[in-house]
Amino acid sequence: MRNLVIFALLVTLAGGAVIKDFVLVSEGVNTKFIIKSDAPFVANAFTLKDPARIVVDCSGVSSSLIGKKYGVNRGGVKEFTITGFTEQADLVRVVAKLDGDYSFLTSTEGNDFIITLLTGLTSSFPEWQASMAMATATTPMVEPAKPTVPTTKPPTTVTGRPISVDLEDADILSVLRLLSEYAGVNIVAGKDVKGTVTVRLHNVPWRQALEIILKASGFAYREDPGVIRVDTAENLDKQDYDLPLISKVYKLEFADPDGMDDKIEAMLSPKGKVKVDDRTYSLVVTEVEPVHERIKQLIELLDTPTPQVEIMARVVDIDVTASRALGINWTLQGLESQILRADITSNADPQVVGYGVVNIATVPSLAQIAGTIKILEERGKAQTISAPRITAVENEAASVLGGQRFGIPTRDLAGNTVIQFYTVGTKLEVVPHINSLEEITLEIHTEVSELDRASAIAGRPIITTSEADTRILVKDGNTVVIGGFIRKKQTTSERGIPLLMHIPILGALFKEKTTTIEDRELLIFITPTLIRS
């Protein structure tokens, strides 16, 4: 009962107090600022920036120090200003201008309100008192300003008038009853709400005090129209599940409903259910109203536009010696064999099959080397095989295939003739990931295949395939260059005396065949660009 009496006294708003003095003392590495009064009063402290200040609004008080300004210059405090308000005579505002952005703690000792500045200053300073210091005059009374929101916190909803609480082993039901009377609200406690609570709070809104007390006791609350229900979190959920079921249709604009329904199902009550309507791109959810509110918040969070990336690719077949003209100074290595169907080998990081070492590089822009590629093409040293342009959704794979598709007659197990189709060429698959700096991480899979024509004519086609997988971070609009796909290209040319070289049998005396072998490299240029609406 003694604790309840103390509680009842503390929740009563004080009035008629007189602020007698302001004191600044050193306490270890911190500074203690004491507002001394002859009776308890309500104080609300918050911070402001530019410059750094602590503002203390004292309610239900008066003071003879109103209208004075003090230069302090110690303990992290530059000066104090004490002002009053013409339309609210029992409100006194104290502003402490600081030399740094310090955190602070508040407490009470008897009738005094104490602010402890966490300055971290190692040197102590002599005690300072406003009653003993010289002051300069300032505006004694000002018009009341609108409630100031501390810059360190975002604006909050209305939480009720402030309250001070000092409890030790107090019955939780009695505390809730007194809070109900103080705030003028209806509070209904469940049958499992029992036990005691020990807590000390100073000058906090009553709603926040309710949350702190219930959290310390292991309970939760939920507001219904005209009443606050207090119970265990599990019981509150069960009470929600007893409400009538309501069916609602959530039409999605961007998200895939087939992927969203799994996330919705994880939030459903035992009675809830969700159905996907692919025709209207919607989710039909049957649930109680409180769960609907949570589902609505989740959909608003996830049903957002997905970023897209335009990927411009260019595949260039180039003479190895000419590739150095592009300014890409990597070491090019290829197979020593002149035959395409060489033994298949694997290299780690990135994985390459067939053509030795793959190389990855980045350049600021494809335009910087496009001109050189054009000159090499005019000289017969390079050839652009394909230049596709595709759009990829973030975190989704986009692929492009450029090549030829051919069929080879074969026989199945029953001896029937069937056509088996093969595709050779260049295959590119890219998965883009966009970070907060608008940089793009590309997961790239490249596959280059080539048909041995002689084996195809013989009916046993041999396809040489090279694959590379890599992951690279590139800035928006920059170009990734993938090289190292090198092969030996054999070219046979024939020259001789016109007409005579075509005579059967004897024509061989009037012509000659020349076979040249050159190293060819396949370069793949990939340029990702963010699509901005």
Side-chain angles (χ1 to χ4, degrees), residues 21 34 80-81 220 384 424 435 463:
D21 205 353
I34 307 171
F80 283 120
T81 303
T384 298
V424 295
N435 63 23
I463 298 175

Side-chain angles (χ1 to χ4, degrees), residues 214-385:
L214 293 179
K215 186 176 181 180
S217 305
F219 299 111
Y221 79 95
R222 187 162 297 162
E223 287 194 61
D224 288 335
V227 66
I228 296 177
R229 290 185 291 146
V230 177
D231 212 324
T232 63
E234 182 180 359
N235 287 344
L236 288 175
D237 288 338
K238 289 180 179 179
Q239 294 173 25
D240 286 340
Y241 298 158
D242 293 335
L243 296 174
L245 293 174
I246 303 172
S247 294
K248 293 186 178 182
V249 178
Y250 296 94
K251 184 173 178 58
L252 303 181
E253 296 186 31
F254 308 102
D256 185 356
D258 290 324
M260 183 72 76
D261 62 339
D262 292 337
K263 302 176 180 63
I264 300 299
E265 285 182 355
M267 304 178 65
L268 297 179
S269 68
K271 300 190 300 182
K273 58 183 179 180
V274 58
K275 295 290 185 180
V276 176
D277 185 11
D278 292 322
R279 186 183 67 86
T280 61
Y281 226 61
S282 302
L283 295 171
V284 182
V285 182
T286 302
E287 255 300 356
V288 296
E289 184 60 34
V291 179
H292 272 298
E293 290 297 324
R294 296 196 290 269
I295 292 174
K296 180 181 177 182
Q297 294 175 3
L298 177 66
I299 291 178
E300 290 177 351
L301 181 65
L302 298 181
D303 188 26
T304 56
T306 303
Q308 298 183 78
V309 180
E310 182 187 53
I311 297 176
M312 183 176 65
R314 186 170 183 177
V315 182
V316 180
D317 183 31
I318 190 170
D319 185 276
V320 168
T321 57
S323 66
R324 296 186 178 91
L326 300 178
I328 305 170
N329 297 319
W330 51 45
T331 300
L332 300 175
Q333 298 181 5
L335 298 176
E336 295 296 328
S337 172
Q338 298 179 11
I339 306 174
L340 288 176
R341 49 181 185 273
D343 294 335
I344 295 177
T345 59
S346 298
N347 300 313
D349 192 25
Q351 176 188 351
V352 185
V353 181
Y355 288 126
V357 180
V358 91
N359 302 281
I360 309 295
T362 60
V363 294
S365 175
L366 181 59
Q368 295 184 351
I369 56 178
T372 306
I373 294 176
K374 184 176 180 179
I375 294 174
L376 293 175
E377 288 178 334
E378 293 174 352
R379 297 176 179 177
K381 295 293 186 178
Q383 179 184 3
T384 298
I385 298 176

Side-chain angles (χ1 to χ4, degrees), residues 115-138:
I115 296 177
T116 302
L117 288 175
L118 307 180
T119 59
L121 301 175
T122 56
S123 58
S124 59
F125 58 88
E127 179 178 313
W128 178 90
Q129 296 182 22
S131 59
M132 304 294 293
M134 296 293 294
T136 58
T138 184

